[in-house]
Amino acid sequence: MNSNTSQTVMVVEDEEAFIEALVVGLRREGFGVEVARDGAEALSNFDRISPDIVLLDVMLPKVSGTDVCREIRKKSQVPIIMVSAKGTELDTVVGLEVGADDYIVKPYRIRELVARVRAALRRSNVASSGEAVETGASINVGDVVIDPEQHVVTVRGTVTKLPLKEFELLYVLIANAGRVLTRDTLIDRVWGSDYYGDTKTLDVHIKRLRSKVEVDPGNPTAILTIRGLGYKFERPA
Ligand code: CA
C-alpha cells in the first residue's frame, strides 16, 4: 500500500456520487487523488497536477472526455483509462482511437477499477524503464523499420510517432514477422497477463496501427487478420 503513496490519480468526473466513491476508494488504496469536474478543468489543471494516471469519464461538461484525451496525448504519454456509461461504449472506442490505454464501463466495482489502475501503472513503469520491449537493434520488415532503443518507427521513409501501446504491439508483431500470434499472446505481451479488460482494445490498436502502417488500411497487406486465431505481420515475398 505504501508504495503507491506518491502516485496521483487524476479523476475527471462530473457525478458527485462517483467522485465520492472514487476518492474514498482510491485513497484507501494509498493513491493520491485530484478531482476535475469537467473537461476544461482537467485540461487547465493537468500540468500542475502532473498525474501518474488519468481516470477520464467520457461524458463531461464543457469538453468531452475524448477531446480531453486527444489534448493530453499531444503532450503526454500518461496512462489514461476512459470511463463510460453503458450505451456510450462507442465513445470509449473513439477514446482508444485517440490514445487512451484502457476503458472500463459504469457501473464498475471499485476493486476492479483499482486493479485496472495498478495494471496500467505497472505497464507504464515497466515501459518507461525500457523493460517491456526487449531492446536491441532495429528490425526492418517490408516498409517498416522499428527501433526499440530509440523508440522510433519509420514507415516508407517517414518517421511516425506511435503511442506506447501501439509501439509495443507493432514491435511484438514485427519481431515475430511471418508467424501468427494469437490474440491471447498479443494481449499478454503488450497489456500483461493480468489484463482483463475488453479484448476490443486489441482490435482498436490493430486498426490504429494499420492506419499508420498500411498503404491502404482498408485492405491490409502487412498486418493480417488470421481468422479465429489472431494477427500476423506479413513478410514481403
Ligand atoms: Ca459524466
Side-chain angles (χ1 to χ4, degrees), residues 101 120 152 190 196:
D101 297 274
V152 168
V190 177
Y196 52 97

Side-chain angles (χ1 to χ4, degrees), residues 68-162:
V68 170
C69 182
R70 197 178 280 126
E71 286 304 312
I72 290 177
R73 271 295 169 263
K74 286 181 185 167
K75 56 183 175 184
S76 168
Q77 291 300 318
V78 65
I80 299 176
I81 300 179
M82 305 286 291
V83 181
S84 71
K86 268 226 175 309
T88 61
E89 283 100 332
L90 194 62
D91 296 315
T92 325
V93 172
V94 173
L96 291 175
E97 285 177 343
V98 296
D101 297 274
D102 194 5
Y103 76 83
I104 188 165
V105 177
K106 288 176 183 172
Y108 48 77
R109 289 169 197 270
I110 196 86
R111 211 187 317 158
E112 186 195 354
L113 180 94
V114 167
R116 297 277 194 100
V117 166
R118 286 196 205 285
L121 283 168
R122 202 155 44 233
R123 290 192 301 266
S124 110
N125 290 340
V126 169
S128 56
S129 69
E131 289 161 20
V133 168
E134 303 92 296
T135 52
S138 297
I139 306 175
N140 177 197
V141 180
D143 290 340
V144 183
V145 182
I146 188 162
D147 179 345
E149 278 188 346
Q150 302 295 320
H151 213 270
V152 168
V153 176
T154 309
V155 180
R156 287 177 289 284
T158 304
V159 173
T160 302
K161 268 193 75 175
L162 296 182

Side-chain angles (χ1 to χ4, degrees), residues 22-88:
L22 282 168
V23 169
V24 170
L26 289 166
R27 289 208 173 125
R28 193 172 47 213
E29 296 291 328
F31 293 99
V33 184
E34 295 275 350
V35 178
R37 286 179 165 76
D38 62 59
E41 195 182 328
L43 289 174
S44 66
N45 291 348
F46 179 80
D47 288 336
R48 177 182 60 78
I49 292 169
S50 183
D52 295 287
I53 186 164
V54 179
L55 213 54
L56 182 57
D57 189 31
V58 173
M59 305 290 277
L60 288 169
K62 295 185 184 170
V63 181
S64 76
T66 32
D67 284 342
V68 170
C69 182
R70 197 178 280 126
E71 286 304 312
I72 290 177
R73 271 295 169 263
K74 286 181 185 167
K75 56 183 175 184
S76 168
Q77 291 300 318
V78 65
I80 299 176
I81 300 179
M82 305 286 291
V83 181
S84 71
K86 268 226 175 309
T88 61

